[in-house]
Amino acid sequence: MSVRVEKVFQLRCEVQTYAWGKRGTSSEVASLIQSADPSFSIDEEQTYAELWMGTHPRGASVIAKTNTSLEQWISQNPECLGSKVMERFSGKLPFLFKVLSVNISLSIQAHPNKALAEELHRRDAAHYADSNHKPEMAIALSAFEGLCGFRPAAEIAEHLQTTAELQAVVGTDNVTSFVQAVHGSSGALSTAVSLQQCFAALMQCPRETVREKLASLESRLQTDAASQPPAARLFLRLYKQFPGDVGCFAIFFLNHMKLKPGEAMFLGPNVPHAYLYGGV
């Protein structure tokens, strides 16, 4: 006699209360928790940043009815993954489903590809608990803003040429090389190589120089803040949150994405990105 396996069940999921999350009832995460558990009391002073649904060791989901971990249930019922996923990922759930509620901008980051993720996990499992790569598909639940990938080369060249403080931290020679590459000048480096040099120079610039030039740019833009172009207004907004942080300059390199509910953006391996505000 076969045993009937329940295929749909309620999960008890892990909540992450990082400082950048929205507070109280303004958080999409808090609202979702309460919708699943009416007895849950939302603390208006608490940040509710992320809701995790999956088997990640730092926030594994549990089947509410039996208190069995989702990982254990999957190991006992691996066919739920489908034959291809089961074979490719050795019977493991290969993704982590999250809901994020962002109030303060997150740092710029890039996730490794599968090969590098496995190597980092092998060398330092304490800091890299997961051997999987981490491409992301972010689907907006509310009006959402983020940075994702590099702007078109011509836009970056314009920012480098018109923003003296950005030129100072990237370096005149690097700026000249990039502009020549964009214009296809004879003997110029490729655009990709030149862009890499510019972005590396920005990230490696001495902190004191970065702080000085950020303060100079902020002071200059504030004199006529309301009439500034979008990139400059975003700079001023982020500078209020993180004065002195090199990420404020990075916005002149990266695409500023604005999503409406239901719209999405894909973040592939090694693509620099940051979530700025909203729910996904």
Side-chain angles (χ1 to χ4, degrees):
M1 179 178 176
S2 62
V3 178
R4 179 178 175 272
V5 177
E6 192 172 3
K7 295 183 178 181
V8 178
F9 40 76
Q10 184 174 345
L11 295 178
R12 188 167 65 248
C13 302
E14 190 74 14
V15 177
Q16 308 292 351
T17 56
Y18 306 132
W20 49 260
K22 291 184 182 180
R23 294 185 183 275
T25 50
S26 68
S27 169
E28 291 87 354
V29 168
S31 297
L32 284 171
I33 302 167
Q34 193 173 62
S35 68
D37 180 7
S39 68
F40 176 78
S41 178
I42 298 176
D43 181 352
E44 292 297 341
E45 297 303 314
Q46 178 64 63
T47 55
Y48 298 93
E50 296 189 1
L51 181 64
W52 289 15
M53 289 157 275
T55 59
H56 194 285
R58 293 181 179 171
S61 298
V62 172
I63 297 172
K65 185 177 179 179
T66 63
N67 213 36
T68 304
S69 73
L70 180 60
E71 183 175 29
Q72 180 182 345
W73 188 90
I74 291 174
S75 70
Q76 295 169 347
N77 303 275
E79 67 280 358
C80 72
L81 299 174
S83 58
K84 291 183 179 180
V85 172
M86 184 170 57
E87 180 180 352
R88 181 175 178 183
F89 296 98
S90 304
K92 304 289 186 181
L93 185 69
F95 65 87
L96 176 62
F97 184 44
K98 295 183 181 181
V99 175
L100 276 66
S101 188
V102 182
N103 186 49
I104 299 174
S105 303
L106 280 69
S107 60
I108 295 169
Q109 54 186 294
H111 297 310
N113 58 27
K114 177 63 173 172
L116 180 56
E118 290 178 343
E119 174 64 16
L120 292 171
H121 177 70
R122 185 187 64 79
R123 291 191 331 218
D124 187 3
H127 289 94
Y128 299 95
D130 191 344
S131 62
N132 281 319
H133 55 330
K134 295 175 178 62
E136 298 180 9
M137 175 68 78
I139 304 173
L141 300 177
S142 63
F144 183 79
E145 291 182 65
L147 302 174
C148 181
F150 288 101
R151 294 174 182 266
E155 284 187 25
I156 298 173
E158 181 179 357
H159 288 312
L160 287 169
Q161 289 177 293
T162 59
T163 310
E165 294 85 357
L166 185 59
Q167 288 183 29
V169 295
V170 170
T172 303
D173 289 345
N174 287 326
V175 172
T176 300
S177 176
F178 181 70
V179 171
Q180 289 176 343
V182 171
H183 292 159
S185 300
S186 177
L189 295 172
S190 73
T191 302
V193 170
S194 186
L195 174 59
Q196 184 180 34
Q197 291 178 344
C198 288
F199 200 67
L202 169 65
M203 291 301 173
Q204 295 166 9
C205 185
R207 291 183 180 181
E208 189 54 44
T209 301
V210 169
R211 284 194 291 266
E212 176 189 337
K213 297 305 178 183
L214 283 172
S216 172
L217 180 56
E218 190 271 344
S219 177
R220 182 164 63 82
L221 295 179
Q222 279 289 9
T223 58
D224 193 16
S227 64
Q228 295 294 343
R233 293 199 299 273
L234 177 60
F235 170 87
L236 291 172
R237 206 175 95 203
L238 295 183
Y239 186 85
K240 286 182 180 179
Q241 295 182 6
F242 303 103
D245 191 296
V246 68
C248 296
F249 272 136
I251 64 102
F252 294 108
F253 284 87
L254 303 179
N255 290 304
H256 180 203
M257 309 293 290
K258 293 185 176 182
L259 305 181
K260 298 175 183 177
E263 293 182 334
M265 63 181 183
F266 177 70
L267 313 172
N270 302 318
V271 173
H273 63 274
Y275 295 145
L276 303 181
Y277 185 82
V280 286

